[in-house]
Each structure stands twice: as structure tokens, then as C-alpha cells.
Amino acid sequence: MNSKIVYLEKPYKLVFRKEEIKDNTIEKNKLICETLYTVISPGTETAAYVGKPPLSSRVKYPRLLGYCNISRVIKIGNSVKNNKVGDYILTFSPHCSHFKIDQEDILCTLPKGCKKRDAVCAYIFHLGYNAVINTGICYGAPVVVIGLGAIGLATVMMANKAGARVFAISDGKYPSKIAKTLGARLVVNRKNVQKLMDILGSRLSDYVISTTSSWDDWNFGLQLAGNRSMIGVVGFPGRGHTNPSSNPLDSEFFYKKQLTIKSLGVSPEKNDNRGFLKYNEKDNLSFIVDQIKSGSINPKFLVSKILPAEDLEFAYKQIINKKQSAITYILRWKK
């Protein structure tokens, strides 16, 4: 069996390679799957495409891209207990047509009736959900989301569902419109941040969720956070930018306000044997997939279009250039 796999050989150079998956024998704890859909994680993937510094020094070219994959199980090893041939699963597998995976690496098995093309977006919503859980956003609390890419919009939706009074900062007209549909009370562009500060008043915001890499946006976050408030970081401040012109931990804000800064991008993979890690990746994703199935979470607000997998590079360019109000794209692998 041949798999078609996307590699980034160097910035701006994507290639589709064919690689053989030996399927005449299969390890007892493995599954072989065929991909139906993947969705682009726009910030992470376009940053890699244009050559921004990798998040880990271990990342080298050529490199794989993507981590949101819905596939169908087509073969299983004899020790696989929780899945069967024909199941549809969510995994962190990259943009590829087929792959082999260990049963422990399956994130979620889709329930019957859940649309596969919608469920592929589950992890993007998980990042917003995880932001709400790990900041402890309270009902009625003012929350400011900086940046309205896919993750920013997902965070707006999840914070609104938690009962927060959500505000956002974005220069994009289309994502600003979507954010209001998803529950944002007000969206201001970066030239009008003072208007938002005036509306928030002296309390300012209890929580600021940063989803961008801009140092200017980071400074907005410092200004908007109230005393003893929290700045939650889903983005990567400073990635691909020169050193900031001002101190990102300026005592005027960080010390005097006694701010907490917390990274929000990673959660425990699964519960422990005592059940102490309740809000873990696998359980969270099962919940989100159920919410997608019920219609409580609707990915249509994030997805600009479903494209053939071969159009991945076109999709990257649309996102980078903000063409046709692109937020993210789903890639279709099975014809």
C-alpha cells in the first residue's frame, strides 16, 4: 500500500511523496488507516511554510505538516481491543493519505452520526476549550481575546459558552463579524484599543487570551489586563519577530498589577489511573466531538472551503495573504 504524504523540504517548497506502508503483516497493537479529511492549523502550518523559527530545536527539514486528521480504520493488529475495521477516528497524524498508528495514539473514535468533515476541526476548538478550563474563566468575567484566527475564534466561542463577557481585538472585518456571531460583545481594531479600555473601565479585563506572535499585541494585553488578572498564551509571542522595543515584563504592568501569565497550548494526554486528570486531551476531545455532533459547536464559521488535498499550498497562500476572507481550509483526501 502506498501513502501520499506532504513534506515541507524547505520554506515555500512543499512536495507530495509516495511512501510504502507494509500491510501484509501488521504489528499486534497497530492500525492502518486511510485519511478522509485533514484541516489546516493555520498559524502553526503557515509559520512553518514561510520559515519562521520552529517551536523545537529538534524540528529539521524535511518536515511533516498538519496534526488534525479524520480517517477510517482499514486493518488492525490482533491486540487492538477498542477499535474495529470501519471505525472513524481522530488522530494527530499529518497531512497524508494513509498511515499506521499505535492504538494508544488514537485521540477519539467518532460516534455514529457525527459528520467527519466537521469533527476534523475538533482540536482547534479544544485549544479554545483548554484556554477556558486552564484560566478558570468565571461566569460574567470580562475576557479579551487578541487575534481572531481560527484559534482566536474558537476561544471566543468557548469563553462565551462559559458565560464570560467576551471582547476581541482584530483588524480583519470578516473574522470580526464571525466573532460577534460567536458571542463577542465588541470587536475593535488595533487603532481603537483605547475604546475597549474605556468600555472595560478601571477594572479592565480579568482575563486576556493572546493568540498572536506580535509584540505590539502583547503590549495591548499588558495594558488591558486588570489588577491580579491573567494573560493566557495560546500563540507564540515574538516568534519570527525582532526583539521587542519595550520590556514584555514591564514592572509598570506585570509587577504593579501582579499579573499571572500562563501557557495554554498543552494539556495532559489522558487521565491517570486515579482519575485525577479529568480535563485531559482525550476526554476533552470526546466531549467536543459530541458537541459537534449535537450542533452545539458548528465548525462552519471557521472553514472557508473544502479543497482537494493537492491544493494545500494554494490554501496556505490564501491564508497568508488573507484572500477571500480565508480562516482555514479542510482538505479532502478520499475521492
Side-chain angles (χ1 to χ4, degrees):
M1 176 188 298
N2 286 324
S3 176
K4 184 162 59 175
I5 304 176
V6 176
Y7 280 94
L8 182 64
E9 292 194 332
K10 61 181 181 179
Y12 298 101
K13 187 175 182 182
L14 282 180
V15 295
F16 285 78
R17 295 183 186 172
K18 285 187 177 181
E19 295 185 3
E20 183 181 3
I21 296 177
K22 294 182 179 180
D23 60 345
N24 54 340
T25 60
I26 181 172
E27 299 90 332
K28 61 183 181 180
N29 62 333
K30 300 282 189 181
L31 304 89
I32 296 177
C33 308
E34 60 175 355
T35 301
L36 278 68
Y37 299 103
T38 56
V39 67
I40 295 169
S41 177
T44 299
E45 294 184 41
T46 59
Y49 178 72
V50 303
K52 289 186 178 181
L55 301 178
S56 169
S57 60
R58 296 190 300 273
V59 176
K60 307 292 182 184
Y61 293 105
R63 58 175 297 184
L64 297 169
L65 294 167
Y67 57 84
C68 301
N69 183 306
I70 290 287
S71 61
R72 187 175 75 90
V73 177
I74 57 176
K75 194 168 185 177
I76 62 173
N78 57 23
S79 291
V80 174
K81 302 299 182 185
N82 297 325
N83 288 95
K84 62 185 184 300
V85 171
D87 280 352
Y88 296 96
I89 60 173
L90 172 67
T91 73
F92 282 144
S93 300
H95 295 306
C96 63
S97 65
H98 298 79
F99 59 92
K100 188 182 288 188
I101 191 170
D102 191 289
Q103 62 180 339
E104 291 298 316
D105 293 330
I106 295 172
L107 300 172
C108 174
T109 301
L110 301 194
K112 290 184 179 179
C114 183
K115 292 182 179 178
K116 289 79 179 175
R117 67 185 184 188
D118 290 343
V120 75
C121 298
Y123 191 75
I124 292 176
F125 288 100
H126 175 267
L127 290 170
Y129 181 55
N130 195 54
V132 170
I133 291 168
N134 285 295
T135 53
I137 288 173
C138 301
Y139 189 90
V143 175
V144 174
V145 178
I146 302 179
L148 290 177
I151 293 170
L153 288 169
T155 303
V156 167
M157 173 188 280
M158 292 302 186
N160 179 62
K161 285 181 176 294
R165 294 186 292 120
V166 186
F167 305 88
I169 297 173
S170 174
D171 291 341
K173 291 183 179 180
Y174 181 63
S176 297
K177 181 179 178 181
I178 294 175
K180 292 175 183 177
T181 301
L182 297 177
R185 297 186 175 211
L186 175 70
V187 181
V188 300
N189 61 36
R190 289 169 174 84
K191 292 181 179 179
N192 289 319
V193 171
Q194 184 60 50
K195 176 182 178 181
L196 176 55
M197 295 182 73
D198 292 342
I199 289 171
L200 291 169
S202 59
R203 173 175 173 168
L204 295 173
S205 187
D206 291 1
Y207 306 91
V208 174
I209 310 298
S210 170
T211 73
T212 75
S213 60
S214 163
W215 286 122
D216 288 339
D217 284 352
W218 183 259
N219 285 330
F220 287 141
L222 291 174
Q223 294 170 45
L224 287 161
N227 292 337
R228 299 185 64 80
S229 293
M230 180 181 291
I231 299 177
V233 184
V234 186
F236 307 102
R239 185 185 188 191
H241 295 265
T242 57
N243 289 336
S245 57
S246 58
N247 181 359
L249 296 177
D250 192 329
S251 59
E252 180 70 22
F253 304 107
F254 181 60
Y255 178 78
K256 285 190 175 181
K257 292 183 179 182
Q258 290 292 285
L259 300 179
T260 296
I261 297 173
K262 187 171 185 178
S263 180
L264 303 174
V266 178
S267 56
E269 291 181 352
K270 57 185 177 181
N271 213 338
D272 64 9
N273 58 10
R274 297 171 299 178
F276 285 180
L277 300 175
K278 293 180 180 179
Y279 290 101
N280 60 80
E281 207 164 61
K282 289 188 176 183
D283 289 346
N284 290 351
L285 284 166
S286 292
F287 168 71
I288 290 169
V289 166
D290 281 339
Q291 292 289 291
I292 290 172
K293 178 185 174 182
S294 72
S296 181
I297 294 176
N298 190 342
K300 75 175 184 179
F301 295 107
L302 304 186
V303 178
S304 302
K305 199 172 183 181
I306 299 176
L307 298 172
E310 293 78 10
D311 288 349
L312 174 59
E313 190 161 24
F314 166 79
Y316 283 167
K317 291 177 180 178
Q318 294 292 96
I319 293 168
I320 291 166
N321 296 322
K322 296 179 170 55
K323 293 291 183 66
Q324 297 180 353
S325 303
I327 295 174
T328 193
Y329 293 89
I330 290 174
L331 303 178
R332 183 179 63 250
W333 287 85
K334 188 172 174 58
K335 296 179 180 179

